[in-house]
Every structure is written in structure tokens, then in C-alpha cells.
Amino acid sequence: MNIDILLGMQWGDEGKGKVVDVLTPAYDVVARFQGGPNAGHSLEFNGKRHVLHIIPSGIFHEDKANIIGNGVVIDPAVFEDEILELEKMGLAPANNLFISRRAHLILPTHKLLDAAQESRKGEGKIGSTLKGIGPAYTDKTARAGLRVCDLETPDFEERLNERMEEHKAVLDSYGFEYGDVLPNMVEKWLKSLGNLRKFKFIDAEYELSNYLKEGKTVLAEGAQGTLLDLEFGAYPFVTSSNTVAAGAFSGLGLAPCLTGRVFGIVKAYCTRVGSGPFPTELFDETGDYLRKTGNEYGATTGRPRRCGWLDLVALKYAVMINGVTDIALTKADVLSGMPEIKVCTAYKVNGTMTDRIPADNKAVVEPVYTSLRGWQEDISKCREYDELPQTFKDYIRFVETETGARVSIVSVSPDRNATIFRKD
Ligand code: GDP
Ligand code: IMO
Ligand code: MG
């Protein structure tokens, strides 16, 4: 069997969590391959909203295996809080959630380093989620990180203290004061290891390979989005992992020739949290309208999201980099009632027209828009493609023609049931 991949096509928060939850019944396994507690994946059913950070979004389907892959960075303290929430709902996640022994750990000092490095950057800060992501991946690539398998070794505490002492020396060199905060964080973190150890640690690459040989189906769940990818986002305003399809193979230990469908999750407009280029950002009342109507506030940090029109230059890039076969379009219900909808179809970069994203994040990018007619109908109750207004179908056709990818799923509100699978 092949492995299907589901990814964000923009700057994250496209609705990945919801779509994974909806697709999970069609799979045997859901596996997260990168990122960590910087992610906030929301899903809704039975009138309740749930937000997951490290745990794959298939967890609410108790007959499905969920795997945290080697590419993920785990903060045991955040993980414990997430598990407690699930247990409060009566779930027993230890039965169907498995963790790669090769996944790296986020230490309390990684979080402090994240805060210290952001504050040192001043105006140039990335606007990170302050979850310790950058420093944890830095240690990973510096070959100094601690992994889940290290928890099983007798000298774990010694190595942990060694790492934290080195981090403290860096924090001291920055003049960053952490006072009582660090001992409290360390205490909670150490305690939370008890919870982590309740889970089965696996050699996920072997297990996944066996699942596929047995004919089982796997959905790889991405976090963040293509425009936050370490290689292809507007560096350095990116996250520290590979959010693109290629990341699924290194982040799970699978061969690229096993790729099946690639689901690109696309929000019908754009949002971004944190700093960095956002060519179609709106600073006017339309931007405020999108934020308010779309409830665009971060699922992890609560920060207001920057809002703007759909950017097809960026979307075409994301479809190309990821080999997207299927687009899942979300949140078009938020655009209902707008007389005119703009989509960016080209950029003027330093005064020259282009349909490419510049590598230099300091380039002056001016969006060139095409105007489409809006739809006035409330589409949130539609459950069949044919029920959608023609103007919305025209918008979909426009996106398909520009990107060359088919819109095969349309989400029309947060609930699990508010999802249209296109049949034609
Ligand atoms: P993720 O990080 O990609 O999983 O997305 P988030 O959960 O951070 O943000 C997406 C938000 O949009 C969440 O609050 C979802 O409940 C909500 N959402 C998902 N799909 C739709 C949709 O089709 N319409 C509306 N109005 N909200 C949606
Ligand atoms: P999900 O999976 C939106 C952004 C941060 C910041 C940059 C780097 O919910 O879509 P980091 O903490 O990773 O070092 O921050 O990336 N960011 C996200 N934005 N959704 C996310 O995840 C994000 N995860 C990180 O705001 O700009
Ligand atoms: Mg999110």
C-alpha cells in the first residue's frame, strides 16, 4: 500500500486537524511527521472543539493507530496536558497512540532559549510560538539532542543535566534571567516523564513498513504549512522543520516511492501568525472582517492572525513543491456575503511582474489581483457539491485552473459533518 500525505499549503492553520479527523475512518494509521507543540490542530464534533498539539488528529477514532514519528519534537509536559484532556473525555490514548524512539525531546531550557533568542532579535524576531521548537531542532542537527529512546537508558538524568547546564551557560551569556522559573519548569517536566513512559515506544519506521506490507493504509499528518518550511518558506521567518511532503518520508522513515495521494489543505483566504512576508495581507476593514468572521486567533498562542486574500502565486508554489493531487478547501463559508473576492495571480517584485516567489525575503512584493464575484448564500449547511452556489463553484474552478490540482474536498464549517466530498 501507499502512504497518503496531508499538508498545509499556506502559513499553517488551514484546517488540517479537521480534515485529518474527517479522513481518519478511511485509514488504519495516522502519523505525525514533524513539528511539535507549536502546532494547534482543532477539530469539532458533538458541539465540542478539541485542540491537539503533539498528538495526531486521528486520536478520537479509538480503533485507529496514531503514531508520533521521529521527525516530531516532544515536550513531555505539553504532552501530559494533552493526554489529561483526552482522558477527561473518557478516552484511553495509551491503547492507540505510539511514539517513535527516535523522536527528539524538547527540554525546559529549550523553551527559555527560544524566549531569549526571540527577545534578542528585537524588531527582527520571528514571532515563534515560544515552545522551544527552534532550539530543540538546533540541538538535533548539532547532534546534541536527547531522544525518546534515551529515556530507557540509565544515564538519562546525567545527560539531561549536562544538556541543561550547557543551555544555562548560553542563557547566562545572553544575560537572560530565569530565576525561579526554570526550577519550576524542570520539576513539572521531570514529573511529566512518568506520563510519557506509560506509552509504548516503537521503532516506527519498522512498524509503518510492516503495516504497509500487510495492506494497511497510512495517512501522514503535517503540521504548520509549506510557506513556513525551513527550506521553502521566507527564511528566516519559518519554522525549524520540513513541513513539505518530502518531510513525511524523513520524518517517518518511509521511502518516497510509496507516495499515494497528497492532500493540500487550503484556506479560502490567507492567514499568518508571527512575523515575515505576507504579500496579500490586508490592513483595512476587510482584514478585520476576515479575522472576526473566521475567528482567526491562534489555537496554540491565542494571538490574532494576520489576514489577507488568497495568494495563488504562493499556492501554485506549494502545489508544485508537494506534488498535491487533491486540494481540501476550507473556510470559504467565511467569505459568504462579500460582493467581490480578490485573488492574487501574480507579483510585482521590485517593479517586475512575475509568477514566482522571490528567495530574498527583503524583496518588495506587490500583489496583482484578479477580482471574482462573491457568493451571498450561507454555504455552511451545504452537504453536497451540487448545493453550492454557482459563483462559489466558479471560484473553485478558478483555483483548479490556476493550480492544476483538483478541489476534491470542501469544508464549510468547523464541524466534522460539515464536509463535502466531491463525487464528479
Ligand atoms: P490547523 O492548524 O491547520 O489544524 O488549523 P487550526 O485548527 O489552527 O485553525 C483552523 C480553524 O478553522 C479552527 O478553529 C477550525 O475549527 C476552523 N475550521 C476548519 N475548517 C473550517 C471551515 O470550513 N469553516 C470554518 N468557518 N471554520 C473552519
Ligand atoms: P499549525 O500546525 C501557524 C509559526 C509561528 C512563527 C513561526 C516559527 O497549527 O498549522 P516556531 O514556534 O515554529 O519556531 O515558530 O512559525 N507557526 C505556526 N503558524 N500554525 C502553526 O501550526 C504554526 N507553528 C508555527 O507563529 O511565525
Ligand atoms: Mg493551527
Side-chain angles (χ1 to χ4, degrees):
M1 288 304 288
N2 287 337
I3 174 161
D4 292 348
I5 304 173
L6 184 147
L7 307 151
M9 292 289 99
Q10 295 150 325
W11 288 276
D13 304 329
E14 299 90 347
K16 298 176 290 296
K18 170 189 166 160
V19 182
V20 171
D21 173 56
V22 170
L23 291 178
T24 298
Y27 292 89
D28 298 302
V29 184
V30 179
R32 263 282 297 273
F33 60 86
Q34 46 68 234
N38 49 351
H41 294 181
S42 334
L43 38 104
E44 242 180 79
F45 53 90
N46 298 338
K48 271 198 79 177
R49 178 169 187 251
H50 308 275
V51 183
L52 297 164
H53 302 285
I54 304 169
I55 298 172
S57 304
I59 196 68
F60 295 99
H61 300 264
E62 290 181 273
D63 55 335
K64 309 292 178 178
N66 283 258
I67 293 179
I68 297 176
N70 56 278
V72 176
V73 283
I74 302 173
D75 181 335
V78 177
F79 180 71
E80 180 174 38
D81 290 343
E82 272 191 88
I83 293 297
L84 289 175
E85 282 299 311
L86 296 176
E87 286 176 347
K88 262 194 242 158
M89 289 175 62
L91 296 177
N95 292 339
N96 65 326
L97 176 62
F98 310 103
I99 303 173
S100 168
R101 289 199 171 90
R102 288 176 161 77
H104 278 247
L105 297 173
I106 299 179
L107 312 186
T109 39
H110 284 141
K111 281 179 77 170
L112 294 182
L113 282 169
D114 201 354
Q117 287 162 357
E118 280 286 83
S119 77
R120 280 164 65 81
K121 288 192 186 104
E123 285 292 297
K125 73 174 184 183
I126 289 161
S128 98
T129 57
L130 301 178
K131 302 291 176 190
I133 302 295
Y137 279 117
T138 301
D139 268 0
K140 175 175 176 173
T141 44
R143 295 157 295 181
L146 286 176
R147 297 183 298 164
V148 167
C149 58
D150 294 322
L151 288 167
E152 296 171 321
T153 59
D155 62 347
F156 175 74
E157 281 218 18
E158 198 182 309
R159 291 170 65 196
L160 171 68
N161 289 332
E162 221 172 79
R163 283 313 303 136
M164 292 207 294
E165 285 308 315
E166 278 189 39
H167 293 156
K168 281 200 270 184
V170 177
L171 289 164
D172 291 341
S173 77
Y174 293 162
F176 187 82
E177 303 208 355
Y178 40 83
D180 285 346
V181 175
L182 182 59
N184 291 338
M185 285 167 79
V186 172
E187 194 187 335
K188 178 170 159 66
W189 193 91
L190 286 172
K191 226 164 113 233
S192 70
L193 293 180
N195 169 69
L196 188 60
R197 287 193 169 101
K198 283 189 219 150
F199 287 79
K200 192 168 171 199
F201 302 154
I202 59 169
D203 297 314
E205 59 283 16
Y206 284 106
E207 306 303 337
L208 283 165
S209 170
N210 287 338
Y211 279 135
L212 295 173
K213 276 185 207 149
E214 288 163 15
K216 293 199 169 135
T217 49
V218 177
L219 180 64
E221 174 181 0
Q224 290 79 56
T226 300
L227 304 174
L228 288 172
D229 179 78
L230 184 57
E231 307 284 338
F232 300 106
Y235 190 89
F237 299 103
V238 294
T239 191
S240 297
S241 67
N242 287 121
T243 62
V244 292
F249 299 103
S250 58
L252 293 174
L254 290 164
C257 59
L258 298 172
T259 321
R261 288 167 86 176
V262 179
F263 294 96
I265 314 302
V266 179
K267 199 182 280 192
Y269 49 94
C270 284
T271 60
R272 175 166 199 163
V273 212
S275 330
F278 182 0
T280 61
E281 182 168 11
L282 292 166
F283 299 95
D284 56 9
E285 63 277 14
T286 308
D288 294 340
Y289 176 84
L290 291 173
R291 189 172 308 107
K292 192 158 170 269
T293 317
N295 190 24
E296 295 296 353
Y297 296 89
T300 295
T301 57
R303 289 179 291 177
R305 296 173 181 153
R306 300 157 65 191
C307 297
W309 294 118
L310 182 66
D311 183 341
L312 286 174
V313 177
L315 182 56
K316 280 199 279 192
Y317 186 68
V319 167
M320 174 184 81
I321 298 276
N322 295 301
V324 168
T325 59
D326 297 77
I327 286 177
L329 186 68
T330 64
K331 302 196 88 160
D333 52 296
V334 173
L335 301 179
S336 283
M338 287 185 149
E340 178 197 34
I341 289 166
K342 289 191 186 173
V343 289
C344 166
T345 45
Y347 289 163
K348 249 190 203 167
V349 176
N350 301 329
T352 306
M353 287 280 272
T354 176
D355 61 355
R356 292 188 173 203
I357 296 186
D360 174 11
N361 73 56
K362 290 193 189 66
V364 180
V365 178
E366 213 184 302
V368 178
Y369 289 112
T370 298
S371 280
L372 304 177
R373 271 178 60 211
W375 47 93
Q376 306 313 306
E377 299 85 344
D378 172 11
I379 58 168
S380 65
K381 305 279 178 313
C382 296
R383 296 292 178 269
E384 295 292 334
Y385 195 76
D386 287 343
E387 292 167 23
L388 295 172
Q390 189 55 45
T391 36
F392 178 37
K393 287 186 189 161
D394 292 343
Y395 167 97
I396 291 176
R397 175 62 57 85
F398 192 84
V399 170
E400 290 183 323
T401 308
E402 288 280 321
T403 60
R406 180 182 149 83
V407 175
S408 52
I409 300 172
V410 182
S411 165
V412 291
S413 49
D415 193 85
R416 199 185 250 183
N417 295 319
T419 314
I420 297 171
F421 289 91
R422 197 159 157 198
K423 294 182 191 91
D424 59 288

